[in-house]
């Protein structure tokens, strides 16, 4: 299985003998080196390798490394000031119905957080009494996950993995006063590009 640590843990659980740990580590490590020299694929990867699935994944990731955030990001997106009231936020969301996230900007133009449109629905469904008292900064979700235009889509996919509830990653560039928001990278754009690369690869194989 190419899992030396798992072998050590299993045998220790079976014996409960601390004196076996060092010999087990040596034996499992040596066995792992020998087994990988004989066959680089573990028993779990063997069937995938025979079907060509591993090489297909490698092709997709390589393709995504050649496509950059600047190619798929959008520059026409909604944004609100940190002091914007809830009705104004909703109006901004209605002007961009195809975008799920609204950036919240600070007084100096810095990105303070992201408002999810699902949060707007939740607030209105809760029968809030005075929507004008709710400010953008009160409902913004802070995020440290950001991408730059020169990053590739493989890096962007990792960013979406860190922020699973965010449908658009902020795209920033470094300016004199720090990072400035220049666009959004929608998850749907990245996934559409990934599917196109998969179809192009399989059509080429056929």
């Amino acid at each position: 299985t190419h899992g030396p640590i798992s072998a050590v843990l299993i045998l220790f659980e079976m014996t409960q003998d601390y004196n076996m740990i060092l010999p087990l580590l040596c034996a499992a490590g040596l066995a792992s080196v020998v087994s990988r020299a004989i066959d680089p694929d573990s028993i779990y990867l063997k069937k995938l390798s025979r079907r060509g699935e591993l090489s297909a994944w490698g092709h997709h990731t390589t393709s995504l490394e050649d496509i950059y955030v600047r190619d798929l990001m959008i520059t026409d997106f909604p944004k609100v000031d940190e002091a914007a009231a809830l009705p104004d936020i909703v109006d901004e969301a209605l002007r961009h119905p195809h975008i799920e996230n609204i950036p919240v900007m600070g007084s100096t133009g810095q990105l303070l957080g992201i408002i999810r449109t699902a949060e707007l629905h939740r607030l209105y469904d809760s029968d809030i009494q005075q929507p004008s008292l709710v400010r953008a900064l009160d409902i913004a979700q802070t995020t440290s996950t950001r991408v730059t235009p020169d990053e590739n889509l493989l890096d962007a996919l990792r960013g979406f993995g860190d922020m699973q509830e965010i449908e658009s990653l902020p795209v920033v560039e470094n300016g004199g006063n720090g990072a400035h928001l220049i666009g959004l990278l929608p998850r749907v754009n990245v996934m559409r590009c990934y599917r196109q690369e998969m179809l192009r690869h399989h059509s080429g194989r056929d």
Side-chain angles (χ1 to χ4, degrees), residues 3-15:
I5 301 300
S6 298
V8 171
L9 293 175
I10 290 172
L11 287 175
F12 174 72
E13 288 294 329
M14 293 173 61
T15 61

Side-chain angles (χ1 to χ4, degrees), residues 39-52 54:
D39 192 341
D41 293 330
S42 72
I43 190 173
Y44 299 118
L45 297 179
K46 180 63 66 178
K47 183 177 290 187
L48 292 176
S49 179
R50 288 174 179 170
R51 293 199 312 230
L54 294 182

Side-chain angles (χ1 to χ4, degrees), residues 138-203:
D138 298 332
I139 58 176
Q141 179 178 346
T142 58
T143 172
S144 59
T145 304
R146 304 170 187 187
V147 292
T148 64
D150 296 328
E151 291 185 62
N152 58 50
L153 293 195
L154 194 58
D155 296 326
L157 282 175
R158 298 190 184 101
F160 282 117
D162 295 335
M163 299 294 296
Q164 296 183 3
E165 294 184 352
I166 295 295
E167 294 299 323
S168 301
L169 289 180
V171 182
V172 300
E173 65 177 0
N174 293 326
N177 297 323
H180 295 276
L181 184 70
I182 61 173
L184 293 177
L185 180 65
R187 184 194 300 265
V188 63
N189 288 12
V190 177
M191 298 311 298
R192 184 185 300 116
C193 179
Y194 176 65
R195 287 193 295 268
Q196 289 173 350
E197 290 299 319
M198 289 183 63
L199 292 173
R200 185 178 298 111
H201 170 69
H202 289 299
S203 62

